[in-house]
Amino acid sequence: MFYIHCPYCGELREEEEFHPKGQAHIARPADPAACTDEEWGDYLFFRDNPRGIHHELWVHAVGCRKFFNITRHTVSYEILETYKMGEQPSFTAEHPQGNSTEAASRQAQVAQQAGVHV
C-alpha cells in the first residue's frame, strides 16, 4: 500500500481512498462537430501508455471527492507529485527531475506531512 497526498485536503491518505480515472491533460476537440469519426474515436478511446513518467487523473473518492492530477513513474509506481486541476506538472518526460523549485517545494510539503525529513 502507498499513500497519496490530496492537494485539496492537504492530507496524506491511504491509496484506498482514491480512484484512478485515466490519463490527464487530454484536450477536448475545439469543434467536435467538425471531427471525423476517426478523430472522435481517437479522442474518446485511445490513451498513452508510456514506460516512465505519466500524468494521471485521480479522484479523492472517500475524502473531499475532488479530481486532481498525479505524476507517476509507471515502472517504479512512484508518485512524483500531485497537483490541482488547471495546474501544470513540474515533472515531465523532458524534465524527469522536475523543471522548477516548485517540484521540490511540493515534495518537501508532502514529506513534512508524512513526518519524513528530506
Side-chain angles (χ1 to χ4, degrees):
M1 176 179 312
F2 59 90
Y3 292 88
I4 298 174
H5 174 261
C6 176
Y8 293 101
C9 294
E11 297 178 0
L12 197 62
R13 308 294 295 183
E14 293 179 358
E15 70 178 293
E16 294 171 342
E17 290 191 13
F18 302 89
H19 297 291
K21 294 297 181 181
Q23 183 177 341
H25 307 291
I26 297 173
R28 183 178 175 87
D31 186 8
C35 288
T36 65
D37 288 344
E38 184 178 356
E39 290 170 335
W40 190 246
D42 287 347
Y43 165 72
L44 290 175
F45 302 111
F46 290 96
R47 301 292 181 252
D48 294 337
N49 188 17
R51 180 177 173 87
I53 292 177
H54 187 56
H55 306 289
E56 301 171 342
L57 180 65
W58 285 64
V59 64
H60 192 177
V62 178
C64 64
R65 302 179 62 92
K66 292 187 179 181
F67 285 84
F68 62 96
N69 295 313
I70 287 181
T71 302
R72 184 176 65 84
H73 196 285
T74 59
V75 176
S76 66
Y77 213 67
E78 176 186 9
I79 295 175
L80 302 173
E81 66 181 334
T82 61
Y83 53 100
K84 295 178 180 179
M85 298 297 293
E87 294 180 352
Q88 292 300 311
S90 300
F91 293 87
T92 62
E94 295 80 26
H95 300 283
Q97 300 304 314
N99 57 5
S100 69
T101 56
E102 185 179 333
S105 174
R106 285 182 190 167
Q107 284 183 324
Q109 180 184 12
V110 170
Q112 180 183 13
Q113 290 177 348
V116 178
H117 298 287
V118 185

